[in-house]
């Protein structure tokens, strides 16, 4: 017969396919049925939950996507088996997707938390930084001073470096965060200001 490992990997492959082409699943029951066949919801392998989370995100079921992504991320560090974990190589997308899910669900603090985790893996994600800045701008006093936001940015970016300042400026401008735009322009070296 087919080995347990091959059976498991086949199931995982089907879930991944459902994420890429949700129409192939037909119904959500089908995705859940495949997941259950390979050990959901007891299985420790984070990929099962990750592929389900991506599938449900594409389907627009953010409540369910949030639950499954939480399960995936909580398992990724503790999973000790030798098999290759897709999620480990895809954390930037996972955190970015979770930030987007949280935004849809109105979980503002978690948007920032997961957005930062994603930015730590790739600082130059305009959509994510813009989303975070638009939330920080709403914090008391930030709209006029941008003090806390500046400190936040300094933890992620080198604000003595023109390229990094300009990237942050572009995102601040996209959210209409004028106090922050001004601070960033002041930080720019003279020779780069005219650009």
């Amino acid at each position: 017969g087919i080995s347990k490992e091959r059976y498991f990997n086949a199931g995982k492959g089907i879930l991944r396919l459902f994420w890429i082409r949700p129409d192939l699943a037909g119904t959500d029951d089908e995705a859940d049925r495949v997941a259950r066949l390979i050990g959901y919801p007891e299985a420790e392998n984070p990929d099962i939950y990750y592929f389900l989370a991506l599938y449900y995100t594409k389907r627009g079921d953010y409540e369910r996507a949030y639950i499954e992504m939480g399960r995936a991320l909580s398992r990724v560090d503790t999973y000790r088996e030798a098999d290759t974990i897709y999620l480990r190589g895809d954390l930037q997308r996972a955190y970015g997707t979770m930030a987007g899910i949280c935004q849809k669900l109105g979980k503002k603090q978690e948007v920032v938390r997961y957005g930062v985790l994603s930015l730590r893996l790739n600082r130059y994600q305009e959509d994510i930084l813009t989303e975070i800045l638009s939330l920080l701008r709403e914090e008391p006093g930030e709209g006029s001073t941008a003090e806390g936001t500046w400190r936040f940015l300094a933890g992620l970016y080198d604000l003595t470096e023109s390229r990094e300042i300009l990237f942050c400026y572009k995102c601040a401008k996209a959210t209409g965060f004028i106090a922050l735009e001004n601070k960033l322009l002041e930080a720019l070296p003279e020779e780069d200001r005219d650009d």
Side-chain angles (χ1 to χ4, degrees):
I2 184 170
S3 76
K4 208 175 153 187
E5 187 187 359
R6 283 181 63 190
Y7 183 79
F8 180 80
N9 286 333
K12 229 170 74 162
I14 292 169
L15 288 178
R16 183 166 178 229
L17 188 63
F18 285 170
W19 147 47
I20 295 163
R21 292 268 318 272
D23 55 302
L24 294 176
T27 66
D28 294 346
D29 293 346
E30 191 58 23
D32 288 336
R33 196 174 71 80
V34 171
R36 274 195 294 278
L37 286 172
I38 56 172
Y40 177 91
E42 280 81 39
E44 286 306 308
N45 187 305
D47 285 349
I48 298 172
Y49 309 94
Y50 183 46
F51 293 141
L52 278 177
L54 294 173
Y55 166 78
Y56 280 108
T57 301
K58 260 198 179 160
R59 285 295 253 241
D61 183 345
Y62 299 109
E63 294 286 347
R64 182 72 194 276
Y66 177 80
I67 292 167
E68 301 307 348
M69 191 67 86
R71 287 173 170 162
L73 292 171
S74 69
R75 284 168 169 82
V76 76
D77 291 330
T78 56
Y79 189 70
R80 292 282 169 260
E81 298 303 312
D83 36 333
T84 317
I85 301 302
Y86 186 88
L87 174 54
R88 282 200 184 122
D90 210 32
L91 280 169
Q92 178 191 319
R93 183 206 317 259
Y95 292 137
T97 301
M98 187 59 149
I101 292 166
C102 292
Q103 194 244 331
K104 296 276 189 209
L105 296 175
K107 298 176 184 287
K108 290 181 180 172
Q109 277 159 325
E110 288 185 70
V111 172
V112 175
R113 182 177 147 219
Y114 288 110
V116 166
L117 287 168
S118 189
L119 288 171
R120 284 204 179 123
L121 297 170
N122 171 10
R123 295 198 302 275
Y124 299 109
Q125 296 180 82
E126 229 173 286
D127 53 337
I128 291 180
L129 183 58
T130 301
E131 183 57 45
I132 291 174
L133 292 180
S134 69
L135 291 172
L136 294 177
R137 191 189 67 205
E138 302 309 314
E139 292 293 305
E142 280 304 292
S144 53
T145 69
E147 292 291 338
T149 307
W150 177 266
R151 283 194 300 278
F152 165 80
L153 286 176
L156 282 168
Y157 299 90
D158 178 354
L159 297 179
T160 62
E161 177 64 50
S162 292
R163 178 180 174 219
E164 306 227 336
I165 295 169
L166 288 168
F167 175 76
C168 294
Y169 177 77
K170 189 175 177 186
C171 295
K173 201 164 178 56
T175 62
F177 197 157
I178 293 163
L180 183 61
E181 287 174 48
N182 292 337
K183 264 181 144 32
L184 289 161
L185 281 178
E186 282 165 30
L188 257 190
E190 291 286 343
E191 65 272 16
D192 293 327
R193 275 189 206 175
D194 303 328
D195 305 341

